[in-house]
């Protein structure tokens, strides 16, 4: 297996550091579409496979495949032709915010869509070749837009993190955990992480939501998530970290009281939606290097680097 | 089996008619509590068993048992001590809007609660004696406040109607259908009835939600539901009817374009929340008589009578 | 000509007094419909001709004719089949808040509708027999729901009062005056009466709108209008009076700082929309008797009596 | 001294009971004005002195004196001509929600006004004859509408309860305590009672505010206050009780978790603002009888009776 | 006649391309004013005549003349002294968003103003020398801020496009067409283009409004308009195109489902109002070259180039 | 005494000009914190003493000392350990927007905090060494976030400017003046400057609030303040000036109708809150040079220069 795209920090004290070539994908590169932002990435046999959230010029998001050798330059494929198990087309108007995870020998793409014009919910599609995607029966009721599968079964059950939402921009939201034996029927739902809406943790007072698929470490499951603050001129999306118990992921071992990364760069501050860092993928190698891909201002894809040790240190220190 | 409490119409042309003794339960009758409104009712061996939504004087709703011989005068029991399967207490702050259904030889109470301080969702409790209630593991993610079980399995699966909501009073909402093999894990969710938000069906333009457990008829499942209109001075809750296919309840055979019953009486117009008719139970006998119990102005319990034939005629005529 | 329905005051000091038989039209009297409220009335050759705003059970308003000998008991006709000049159907979803006026030997009905699904505006229909109505080309842009024609041309031009609005319940609004040579092309629009939104005239701080067609008196045009106050629990619609110059109706001679009639009776306080008095017709005889018909709580039709002298005295005293 | 107007309970278990002659003052009795509601009352030498909040027909509140022998039938005086110490007129547009208190040999009226067009705040006026009122220099910054003075100095300082508000209907609010040596300069402000906005005390989740002047008892200062709940159709104002330490009123000994009185009667449910009980005066005699005067639906004055012992028992039991 | 300022595309595939010297007019150049944005431009005898929307430092917009030889560098004139036909001053507080059109041998400036303190509506001023402007009687009722005249009479009538609005920022709006024989009285109003508010055309879901005066082509009237999208951090104004029938402009032949130009450059993304492209003028020559002037972030004037053929191709392809 | 940091204008006509080295303090320089913005500054014996509003990475503001020799480069100290007079800790969650003023031989820091979890109000802390701060008893009721002390007693009383607010971002607000003999008890509150919310002074239509401590000049007290405009994409904070009477500061001699400085630079336009200039300090020397420190986009500290003469000229000219 080839090495993942990862660069060391310039300053040893940093817990996280941005790629200087940010943002990765800019508008000009994909004809007929305007923005590429919150997208899914996996690294398999030396190749990066992506599913891009691409906004067409009607401002409608679509999901499109892409591949890369270096994790930086991607060749864009086409709109995914999602199919149901019976081979029929999966009908929907928009699809957004995909996350990839490998479980066993299959890849699962979790994303938000409005199947048959129903209200937005989470859908799971299975693929083995990154080209053909089979959508499973709807496992989640609307309104839910942020779903993230764990990369393995725990105690014989699939595990999902998600944030129940409302019809619109949703000025509230916490992270829930759900379980399933077959990826179709889900239950045993439980509130996992509640946002702080106190007088000293403003950064996530509006809502929080899961980001990339959790990262398995010796000390627990690392959950990278986003938190949203509110100002008189709009919301600010930042990134932070929690740690769940390995065997019982309903137990939160640590949860950072602060953000780890917040919009500072011009491509995070200014765009279709200002002040957004929305993490969606965390490629991790066996040495504990982590490359985070994140949507930036709902307009770009940004990259930041860290390590498992850095995140563990951060989440314990700011618990 | 004794006869159910039911009275014929004075005017043969009416599709539905109120009980003149409305409202049934008034504040004075239950010491320490203020309102009794949206409540569950079943009729078994000549006895009415109720679970009342009772608001204490902190304006917090609780669930309390009650029994009656005549369906009119009820003896109030106590706050239900819900237990989990492991015998531990089911911890919650408030519980509301219960519905009863018998499946096989057990009774199930579906209600809304905020278990362990999580956001409100639907819970299912099983009882065989109307006194001891065992709450099943959480099968539905928040936010969801209106859950209604079908009175039997269909194609080997339990079937639930519900309305996904938001954190507050929820200015939107449609009826979804969900399936389960075990009442614990739920899936195959589907949009069943979408509210009309057109220019000529104002009466349900804000939201709709399921009412009593569906009534099995030869022509299909009768679903009594509420629809909510919006005015500059608040919302108005009315009652109407849909008919689902017997074998495949995801098929809507008919859905009324109009309401069947809307607030007119002073006890429906004026109360803690003005202009509310919120149906929660429909006691049906073998002759097709139907006695609907409904919450009235979030303050009282009202009763209205109809028949299976009347509802079928209405829903077809106003489809 | 027969006498109009009018009753004297019990208390000579009163400026206005209600009919004790209020409300006039109740739900039961018109089959298939729920409410009858803001409606148009004229009195011609001893017969009252009405156009009722009738809400069907989908909560959609329609316009229906009606006649009466006594101004109290009305025989309801049918939904008006509005036609364009070319004989084609006038297509719309809802129509509401009609006002009648006689100009020359024709009657004009001014009402609000959403022609061809466009946003709501004012339409003018001509009738000579109270049965056949021809709708003129659209003379007013949306959003406008309250239009009132003067009963004669002034300086060779038709004159209209109206209140420009917005898409919804419209939390603002003043009365404008407009002119036309042919009832089709309108111009020379001018702000006529601006609502007081000061610290001592709360009663009309949200919006004001014209009511019945202006009444010609020796001292000027009497304009009966409604004003809307806002409270934490909704809006309150009251009735008051202004006086315009006879020859130049763009000149406001007097405008009351107070309301003349505000919701007090249970049928004005409680209904589909609480606390509404919405005047739509003022039948005046040669002796200066005035019978005002008004929508009540968006649910009923109420009647109040006054005289030209009383209104003139009131508007001058409270200017 | 004559006896105060007070009637015993019919049901010994009641903590509070309404006067059957409610509402006291109705519209017809005061010419030129529409509503009489939240008003101040004292009882001195066998005479009731009142200051009425009277809404004129422009919906602007004024303060007007009144007297009564029996506490039921009042003779209305005139608009109070408030003066500054220098004899100049106290200029304002509206004045509302007065409370009376006797300190030493003078009476103080605390009320809300918009002096010189400034935003609404609390003003204190001194009177010795219930006719001439001298307004002190402004002691409170806007926005503040509910001020209540203690009936004596504590530790050499005057003490005020108030609720800071905002420009409009104010969807928040807690009770603060403030101190002064001279009724002019105020300081040492402190949060006294914070509203419960938890999951089980909905009744006061929007805001709370002080009612009548605190009642001195052996066990502490009884504070009758109002709490506001929110529904999809508006707010509901209820009444409850807290007990403060006699010597250090910044210490809350008890605070009820429930309301003691909530709108149930038609005159509390239906009016200019529905569902309002707003206590403003509590006439107490040496036997511990308490007669509470309260604004009802922003339209009427209601009366309820209780005793010192009943309130103490209630506040301890429901702490 | 001199050539218009126009530059060819660098990339032949582009439908539209920006001027690299953007933004044109910056704050420093006009003393005493802060921003220059949405402005009117015509080209006549080799000279560009402009009417600039200039915001003074009280943030109030004014209209000021300007001239240029090259379409890039403008000499600013003075505040326009609008006059009525009778020579009296046209009184108003603010005036904004002007558009120029030549009909016959006169130029007409259509703009928004609040004449005599009335609510904002569309006004038409005639000029023959670009210095003296005569305002016609008010032809449009408030609230209306975007008016655009066709450059010639059609079937003997003047034709106007406009968007009825509300008092504030107006979260809705469609394009209507109106007719007049004399520019004073307007009628036969009709809904022309309704915004898509569907699940796949988000870009214009809030509102749409006409931009420059329509361009006459062999295939129909080209209407350049703006559409507004909504995000949690504010609105985004983009530009697109429709084509109307030459002889009957109430017929929409084509309407693009996508935008043609959306904010991407820093001067469009960042300013007084972020993310705004607001087209107001389209200078077209006989070769079909089109130079579009647009307001940028409510702060600057930007320029983009295209051709008649490009726009026709675009609107047909994306219909 | 050393000279203050001040630079002359490049353009003599300017009333105010920015420091080209803006913004002063950037995130990287203060470890563990994200933003440094609205801060207090004084200049004493050749040293600048600052109290910085520093936002930690939970987005909670804290107050931290700092010193500088040149007014540009600051050495950051630590979080201030505020104490009460009795030596106990001043307990609070957040503290923000400090202003410094010297009265006699002590320095006073006025700031906003939520003492003991009460709602936000103004607190005054005394220091003589810029290290130890004693907080005085609470002199102002919530909600109040902008307090500014005059640099000397006037007529024997301390004088404070402030803006009463609400719980949240507060969409309203005017400047009030208050008096005290001892800095503890405050009274004689008065509306000083009301925002223009007219049709031609949009720039401050939302709210205004005092900035640095007033500057004493021969002609009166110069009050630098901020005004807030509202757009569909958020608020804009600008800076302007008023002049108060020297002996009676309740008299406003002049108040600018326009702003003097509004966001234009990228560090004012783009940040945590876009489009903010929030002045908090004005270091003035005996020659009338003024160096204004202002918070910029809630993210940075900016500097602008002017003189007493320039401000006097400006405020008179634009009165």
């Amino acid at each position: 297996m080839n090495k993942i795209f990862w660069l060391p920090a310039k300053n040893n004290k940093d817990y996280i550091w941005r790629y200087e070539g940010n943002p990765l994908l800019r508008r000009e590169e994909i004809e007929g579409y305007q923005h590429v932002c919150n997208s899914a990435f996996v690294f398999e046999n030396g190749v990066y496979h992506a599913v891009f959230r691409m906004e067409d010029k009607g401002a409608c998001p679509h999901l499109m495949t892409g591949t890369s050798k270096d994790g930086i330059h991607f060749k864009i494929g086409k709109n995914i032709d999602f199919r149901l198990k019976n081979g029929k087309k999966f009908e929907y108007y928009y699809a957004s915010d995909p996350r990839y995870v490998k479980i066993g020998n299959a890849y699962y793409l979790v994303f938000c869509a409005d199947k048959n014009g129903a209200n937005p919910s989470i859908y799971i599609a299975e693929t083995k070749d990154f080209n053909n995607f089979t959508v499973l029966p709807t496992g989640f009721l609307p309104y839910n837009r942020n779903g993230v599968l764990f990369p393995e079964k725990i105690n014989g059950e699939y595990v999902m993190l998600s944030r129940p939402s409302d019809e619109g921009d949703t000025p509230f939201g916490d992270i829930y955990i759900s379980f399933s034996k077959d990826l179709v029927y889900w239950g045993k739902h439980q509130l996992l992480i509640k946002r702080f809406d106190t007088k000293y943790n403003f950064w996530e007072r509006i809502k929080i939501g899961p980001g990339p698929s959790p990262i398995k470490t010796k000390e627990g499951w690392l959950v990278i998530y986003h938190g949203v603050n509110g100002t008189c001129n709009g919301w600010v999306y930042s990134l932070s970290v929690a740690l769940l118990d390995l065997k019982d992921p309903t137990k939160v071992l640590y949860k950072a009281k602060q953000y780890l990364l917040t919009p500072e760069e011009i491509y995070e501050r200014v765009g279709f939606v200002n002040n957004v860092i929305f993490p969606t993928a965390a490629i991790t190698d066996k040495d504990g290097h982590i490359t985070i891909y994140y949507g930036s201002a709902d307009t770009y894809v940004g990259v930041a680097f860290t390590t498992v040790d850095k995140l563990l240190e951060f989440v314990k220190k700011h618990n």
Side-chain angles (χ1 to χ4, degrees), chain A:
Chain A
M1 187 179 111
N2 291 10
K3 282 197 164 182
I4 69 167
F5 162 50
W6 186 87
L7 295 172
K10 286 188 175 171
N11 183 338
N12 275 338
K13 293 191 296 181
D14 287 351
Y15 287 114
I16 194 167
W17 52 100
R18 288 173 177 87
Y19 174 50
E20 293 190 351
N22 278 350
L24 274 206
L25 289 140
R26 306 182 193 203
R27 190 197 55 81
E28 303 83 8
E29 304 176 24
I30 308 106
E31 195 180 301
Y33 286 86
Q34 190 70 14
H35 307 309
V36 189
C37 52
N38 317 337
S39 302
F41 297 88
V42 288
F43 184 61
E44 179 82 7
N45 295 326
V47 179
Y48 281 85
H49 298 279
V51 172
F52 293 112
R53 169 176 164 177
M54 301 190 55
E55 313 263 336
D56 69 24
K57 294 195 172 188
C60 183
H62 301 271
L63 299 184
M64 215 172 267
T65 57
T67 53
S68 169
K69 294 270 172 176
D70 61 6
I72 305 172
H73 304 90
F74 281 81
K75 191 180 158 192
I76 304 294
K78 293 198 174 171
N79 254 314
I80 296 175
D81 177 25
F82 289 105
R83 294 282 159 173
L84 301 174
K85 282 210 163 172
N86 60 12
K88 287 193 183 166
K89 219 173 162 48
F90 174 75
E91 300 285 355
Y92 67 98
Y93 292 114
Y94 61 83
S96 69
D97 294 358
R99 274 83 158 197
Y100 252 139
V101 66
K102 186 180 187 181
I103 309 178
N105 62 351
Y107 276 90
Y108 294 94
L109 191 78
V110 185
F111 60 101
C112 172
D114 61 337
K115 186 186 173 189
N116 297 338
N119 296 306
S121 194
I122 295 172
Y123 291 88
I124 305 169
E126 184 180 339
T127 186
K128 293 188 176 171
D129 61 4
F130 307 107
N131 268 318
N132 297 290
F133 291 80
T134 306
V135 182
L136 307 183
T138 316
F140 288 82
L141 274 172
Y143 300 80
N144 210 325
R145 293 189 189 84
N146 277 288
V148 170
L149 265 175
F150 278 64
E152 60 184 56
K153 284 184 169 185
I154 301 175
N155 306 321
E157 294 189 317
Y158 295 98
V159 187
M160 178 79 87
L161 303 182
S162 76
R163 175 183 61 208
S165 302
D166 75 7
E167 247 193 356
D169 286 321
T170 315
F172 62 83
D174 305 306
I175 299 175
Y176 281 74
I177 191 166
S178 306
F179 298 89
S180 175
K181 299 203 152 111
D182 52 16
L183 290 173
V184 174
Y185 299 89
W186 291 83
K188 295 171 28 187
H189 308 287
Q190 204 170 320
L191 176 57
L192 183 71
I193 310 178
K194 200 170 175 60
R195 68 193 184 274
F196 286 119
D197 49 1
T198 65
K199 299 205 166 189
Y200 44 91
N201 280 84
F202 296 106
W203 80 274
E204 61 174 20
R205 70 185 173 89
I206 302 291
K207 57 181 169 181
I208 55 173
S213 186
I215 299 165
K216 193 174 189 178
T217 73
K218 287 181 183 166
E219 303 196 28
W221 293 100
L222 266 173
V223 175
I224 296 169
Y225 65 98
H226 69 265
V228 182
N229 197 351
T231 80
C232 65
N233 284 0
W235 289 351
V236 178
Y237 284 69
S238 304
L239 174 160
S240 199
V241 188
L243 190 71
L244 310 180
D245 187 83
L246 263 193
K247 295 190 178 162
D248 180 359
T250 68
K251 289 188 189 159
V252 180
L253 304 179
Y254 301 97
K255 182 211 168 299
K257 283 187 175 161
Q258 302 193 339
Y259 51 72
L260 177 61
L261 196 72
T262 201
E264 288 176 88
E265 301 298 329
I266 192 73
Y267 56 86
E268 295 159 349
R269 287 264 193 230
V270 174
F272 180 66
V273 180
N274 295 335
N275 280 326
V276 175
I277 285 180
F278 191 91
T280 50
I283 308 296
T284 309
D285 67 14
K286 59 184 176 184
D287 300 326
H289 298 151
I290 302 176
T291 300
I292 297 173
Y293 288 84
Y294 62 93
S296 166
D298 271 29
T299 308
Y300 310 104
V301 172
V303 170
F305 308 110
T306 181
T307 68
V308 167
D309 289 347
K310 288 276 188 183
L311 292 189
L312 290 174
E313 182 187 333
F314 176 81
V315 77
K316 290 177 189 172
K317 186 175 172 187
H318 292 97
N319 189 48

